Structures are given as structure tokens and as C-alpha cells.
Amino acid sequence: MELKFTPEEEAFRMEVREFIEANLPDETREHLKKGNAPTKDMTVQWHKALHEKGWATPRWPAEWGGPGWSVTQMYIFQQENQRAGAPDPQGFNVGMIGPVLIQFASDEMKKKFLPKIASLDYWFCQGFSEPGAGSDLASLKTSAKWDEEGQQWIVNGQKTWTTYAQHADWIFLLVRTSNEGKKQEGISFLLVDMTSPGVEVHPIQTMDGGHEINSVFFTDVKVPAENLIGEVNKGWTYAKFLLGNERLGAPRVGSSQAKLEQLKEIAKERIVRGKPLWDHPRFRDKYVEAQVELKALEMTVMRVLSSMQAGADQSKPDPATSVIKIKGAQMVQRMTELFVEMAGEQALPWTDGEEGDNARIGPYWAERAAPNYFNYRKSSIYGGSDQVQKGIISKAILGL
Amino acid sequence: MNFELSDEQRMLSDSLTRFLADKYDFEKRRKYMGLEGGLDRDIWTGFAELGIFALPFSEDEGGLGGSSVETMIVGEAMGRALANEPWAEAMAIAPALLQAGSAEQRAGLAEGIIGGEIMPTWAHLEPGMIDRGEDIQTAEQGGKLSGTKTVVTFGAEADLIFVTAKGADGLGLYLVRKGADSMEARAYKTQDGKRAAEITFDGTPCEPLTGGVSAETAIGMAEARALSASIAEALGCMEVAIDETVEYIKGREQFGRPIGSFQALQHIAAGAVVEKEQVRSMAMYASVMCEDEDETARDLALSSAKVKMCDASRNVGQMSIQLHGGVGMTMEYAIGHYFKRLTMLEIAWGDRDFHMDRLCEAGGLAA
Ligand SMILES: Cc1cc2nc3c(=O)[nH]c(=O)nc-3n(C[C@H](O)[C@H](O)[C@H](O)COP(=O)(O)OP(=O)(O)OC[C@H]3O[C@@H](n4cnc5c(N)ncnc54)[C@H](O)[C@@H]3O)c2cc1C
């Protein structure tokens, strides 16, 4: 057991830090520091910059363009990227569909899709949830019927909560291909071009006023046979693998660390009832408690990565990822609460940016405090809610 | 970075676990607790024969030169078995305190501890010294100690007592042998099945530890290592508390089915797993950081681990009793004993408030 980083690893950290310092556009950095989510352009620009450097797909095998990093290097990269306030590489591509293709798709399909997924020439979105199939994902109804004549799949149905469908070139879909037997056994995994006739995207506004989620409707959408991943009716296995990876990506430790740093910096300046907020014991308690929990989470994440590196079976999700998902969501949410609490009444104005009639009133960091708090309630709902994760722990770890 | 145990470390864990399964099940533990002094010296000798006491001592002290990671492994196993013996005094505290002594003192005492002939303890806290930083009142003058020490683990049974006291040159560490003159030990049982003593020195002859690091440095190391060991011990307790609870709710039937099939209970148990896993991470962090040369970084890291441990130990301990229902309340069932040990471990080596204070004063962990 060795938690200290070696000189080589520290040198790698400096290399990553310097690269980000030299290449991350100031505009992106400033935008994110204010608590905004990156725009599509910002994510694409940064993803492509990382891709050119060979760093956009850290966990992919070298054969498919991964950098061949150790788990420690992956961890250092992610932490540095998040701490610098840079956008993450596009997660649906890098953390979800890419690994599924690598693990389960034919060579032909890999060759066709992986390079464009890695470079973000194809932006993928995730078409799993439906109005009637949320936590009970396997009850999904969107159907793909085999068209013998055209040798293709015909897709009908509705997906919902689809993040960034408005940006997407492609969607990966879970579809029903059989109604026989257990509902998990009639599901297949398809890749669908968003420009196909019959695909329609409808925006959904979230309570913070943002537009990141959508409903996606499919009416007689024709999908070529070769866009099916692996075998027909085996989609559930691939989906479970994907969800395990999604959970591992949930905690965003580096980002929370950066938020804590920012919180401290601001609290030292902010005068509340005659003294800096930082000097108020109640604030200090909350800060330290959050920091303690985050440190434990950081160690838990590293521990799971380390056991993966040491050869744990990677085709099945490690139930410890459910622990990480629950704590990760909690920490992300806790950070947003602390910002609202720090902002106090300055969290009230619903303003928008630097200029115009509805320009910002309070400090730069307070504008997004409340919207982010509202928005991040999502993190304990998506990717398998807290209750779903506890169900997984009860069954897979405790055998209940 | 690497969180995996080496093959030797795995073997250590296996052999100690086997020994404890064989010699320290719940019924045998009850028997040992009923013996005079609350322990069976054969068990202590057995630990020594397994070689665990040699782990933390350096090679020139006659030991194996292990690290606190080994102490963590031992602590987790001892926690699982609810072992009462002062193993942490031997493995975490004595090797650290001895750093204040000369090479001769170190080698001589290490030999006895490693072999199991010397069971050591530490008389450090004093009545009213709830806040650990307060001044030590016990004093040494002309080779004699006077003062009162409180909650000295196995204080009446230990062969060797390390005593913290003020000497002519400030804070010092002194050795007192079992049965020394002018010493009175009022022994009692602790809430969690150990023994402890209130010890009064009234001109008790002692030997100073000199020739090594300062007493402050040695005490800092001892407290850090003891705290780290106790977090590992708590982790072991939490694991068994969860296992026992899960076994129980699988078997207990109400409303015509196992109560473990009720989702409300499943989610409580799953929540406890989440907390326990966070403690496992912190136990590893603490075991590595307790040897850090930067004392401030070391102490803050340990404080953060302790705060997490306290919160998790309440969660796990209380849920275990709740899910057992009435039988959880009984002396007969093991679960209550795990709960009691967890509760006492929360208090040991600085409670949550103490460690929160230490962290808050420093402005939190270093970034
Ligand atoms: C912002 C956001 C972005 C999203 N992005 C995507 C995306 O890109 N692609 C995609 O496919 N999906 C996405 N989702 C959907 C997400 O995965 C679902 O919301 C999630 O699976 C929960 O389903 P649901 O909303 O239907 O809630 P429901 O399943 O109806 O759950 C409602 C409540 O009941 C609880 N519950 C449900 N079943 C049980 C049970 N058996 N036991 C105990 N409690 C239970 C849940 O935990 C929750 O608290 C997104 C969601 C959000 C909020």
C-alpha cells in the first residue's frame, strides 16, 4: 500500500497542469469559475484539444487510442482537469458508449465508431429512460422491429430526460426487441443517427431555467442492421456494464475540491455580521465536515480504481461503485448547498450574466449559487437514484 | 499510489484471523473477561508467537521493521474479534514512546515486548484532562513520581507502565514496573469489556527515557499511531456489526417473511455499508499518514479520519441495535458488545469535538 505519489507521478501532474494552463481558454475558465456548466462549444473545444494530445480517453486501451496510463495517472489527470476548472471530456462518449463498444462490439463497428467517438466528431447522447421506465429501466417500451425486406430495424417510441440531445449527432438506445420471457431478456442496444427521418427532439426546461434535458421521439425510424451492438436481446448486459462505469464517473472529486478552495477564498473576504465568514465557527464546522467527507470519498475512489488496476473483473460492475455514486452525489450536492448558505440573501436575484437589463447584481459567484443547488438535486436521481444504489448494495453486497 | 496489500500482509491478516477464530470466539472472550485481571496471558503469548508484536519495531531493535499498515491489519482483525488485550499499547504506543529512549533502553524493552513477556501500557491522561492538550500535573523529582493518572488500560495488570510527567527539564517519559513501591492502582472494568485503572503515584521510583527524541515528539507519534490503530479497530467492529445484523434480519421472520425482505431495513443496512466503506478508506489514509514526517499534516489527517470514524460508528452501531430489535438490547447477544466497543472507541484518543477543533483551528486539511 502506497498513497504517496512517486516523483514520476508528480512530474506527470506538472505536465498535465502546464498543458491545461497553456491551452485552456480564459473564457472557458472564467465561465466555469462562475459556476456555469460549459457550453457545447467549450466542451467541444477542450475535448478536441485533449484528444489531439491523446488525453481525451484516459481509460481506453491503447489499441483504441487510450494514453496507456496507470490508474494513478488517470486519477491525477482527472483531478487536475477538474481543479483547473476545465470541462470534462464528453462523458457519454468517453465514459459510456466508448467502453461498451470496446467491450462488446464487433471489430467492424469499433473501427467505424470509436475514432469519431474519441475525437467528439460524433456527439453521443444517452437514450435509456422513458416516461414509463425510470428506475425500472427494464420495463422500457421503445421498440425496434426487424424489417426483413429492408434488412433494418424500425424504431418507434419515446425517450426522455435525454441530456444534451439538442447537441447530439448520435444517440445510443435501449430498445425492446422481444416481449417474451423476462423483460430484461428482450432488450437490445442500438446506435441511431439523430438526423434520421422520424427523430424529433423536444426541450425540457429544468427548474433552474436551464435547458440540458429533452424528450426524444422516434416515429418509424430506420436503423441499419450494423448499428446493433453485440447480440440481439443481450442489451441489458451491456447496459449494466455501462451503468457501472457511469457510477464510477459520478463523484467529480477534483471539482468538489476546487469548489472547497473557492469557498474558502471567498469566505475569507466576505464580511458577515462584522467579520469574515471564514471566522464564523458555524461556517468553519460545515466547511471542515464537508472536507472530511470529501477526503474519505477521494480515498474510496482511488481504492476502487486501484483494485481495478490490480485485476478485478472489469466486465461486471463492482458494487463498490454504488457506494461511490451515493457519496459522490451527496458531495456534489453539499457543495451547492454551501454556496447558497454563503450567499445568503444574495442568492435571491434571478439574473443573467454581465450585461443587459437583467445583468448580475451580487458577487460573481452568487448568481449561480441557487440555480446550481436546484439543478444538482439531479445527481441523486440520475445514473440510478440513491434508492436504486441502496437496492444494489442490499442485493449484491449484503445478499438481502 | 497503490492500495493493495502485499502477499506478506495478506498472510499476516489470514494467520491472525485464524488464530482469533480459534481462540477468541464470543464464548471464549466471555470466559477471558471473567478471569482475574480480565485476560488470559496465554492469548498474549499466542499473539507474540504469531510475531505481531515484532512488526512495528525496527530491525536494530530486534523487530521486523513493519509500518503502520501492518498495525492497521492487526487492528481490523482485533476489532472484528472484539479483542480486549492492550495490543495497541504494545504495537502502536510502546514502539513510538521508546523513541525517546536510548538505543539500549529501546533494544532491552523491545525484546521483552516482542516476546510477550512484557505487556505494556501508558499512563498519560489525568483526571479532568478531557481536552487532551491540558497541562500534565504528574511530576517527577529525583527519580520519583507523584500524581494521578486516569483510565490506564490494564493499568493494574500491565508489566510496564509508560508515564508522562513533568521533570526538571519539562515534559518527560518515565518507566514504572508492575508492583513498584508507593503506587496504588484502583482497577475496574470498562464499559466495553476491558480493564483499566486509576493510578496514584506517591513517590514511585521510575526510570527516565532519555537519549532519543524529545518526549513531545514521542508522545505525538504515539498518539497518532494509537489513533490510527483505533480507527482500524473500529472498522473491524463495523464490519462484524453489519454482517451480524444482515445475518439476523435474513433469519428473523415477522409478518410471515424475513424482516430482511423489507426495503426500509435493506436501505438502512445499505446506508451503513456506505459509511463503513468511507471508514475503510480513512483507516488506510490514517495508517499511511500517521508516519508522515510533517507533524501538522499528520495530525490533521488523523483528525479528519477520526471525525469520519465517529460519525460512521454512531450510524453503524445504532442501526445494528435497532435492526436487532429486543435481542439487540441483551448482554447475551454479541451485537451489543460491538456497539459498546464502537462507542468507547469514539471517545478514545480525542473525541469528535477535539478533532473538529483541531481541524477548524487549522482551517481544515491542507489542499
Ligand atoms: C437532469 C437529468 C438528466 C438525465 N439525463 C438522462 C440521460 O441523458 N439519459 C437517460 O436515459 N436518462 C437520463 N436521466 C433520467 C434518469 O436516469 C432517471 O430520472 C432515473 O433513472 C429515475 O427515474 P425516474 O425519473 O423515472 O424516477 P422514478 O423511477 O419514478 O423514481 C421516483 C422516486 O422513487 C424512487 N424509487 C423508484 N423505484 C424504487 C424502488 N424500487 N424502491 C425504492 N425507491 C424507488 C426513486 O429513487 C425516486 O426517488 C436524467 C435525469 C435527470 C434528472
Side-chain angles (χ1 to χ4, degrees), chain A residues 92 126-131 133-136 160-163 206 212-213 375 378 381-388, chain B residues 263 267:
Chain A
F92 298 104
Q126 178 183 26
F128 279 19
S129 306
E130 298 180 6
S135 300
D136 183 13
T160 193
W161 316 127
T162 320
T163 299
T206 45
E212 59 185 76
I213 49 180
N375 181 278
K378 68 187 176 187
I381 297 172
Y382 65 34
S385 69
D386 275 10
Q387 287 68 38
V388 167
Chain B
Q263 194 192 48
H267 284 199

Side-chain angles (χ1 to χ4, degrees), chain B residues 265-277:
Chain B
L265 303 197
Q266 292 178 352
H267 284 199
I268 291 173
V273 170
V274 173
E275 294 306 308
K276 182 257 291 173
E277 286 302 313

Side-chain angles (χ1 to χ4, degrees), chain B residues 137-165:
Chain B
Q137 302 293 320
T138 300
E140 180 269 347
Q141 216 177 9
K144 304 239 152 105
L145 286 170
S146 44
T148 302
K149 292 286 181 182
T150 198
V151 286
V152 183
T153 306
F154 288 98
E157 294 78 19
D159 305 299
L160 178 71
I161 308 173
F162 289 87
V163 184
T164 315

Side-chain angles (χ1 to χ4, degrees), chain A residues 191-216:
Chain A
L191 305 185
V192 179
D193 185 336
M194 290 293 279
T195 61
S196 314
V199 177
E200 248 183 85
V201 177
H202 291 211
I204 300 172
Q205 194 182 31
T206 45
M207 64 176 147
D208 54 303
H211 172 207
E212 59 185 76
I213 49 180
N214 304 272
S215 281
V216 186

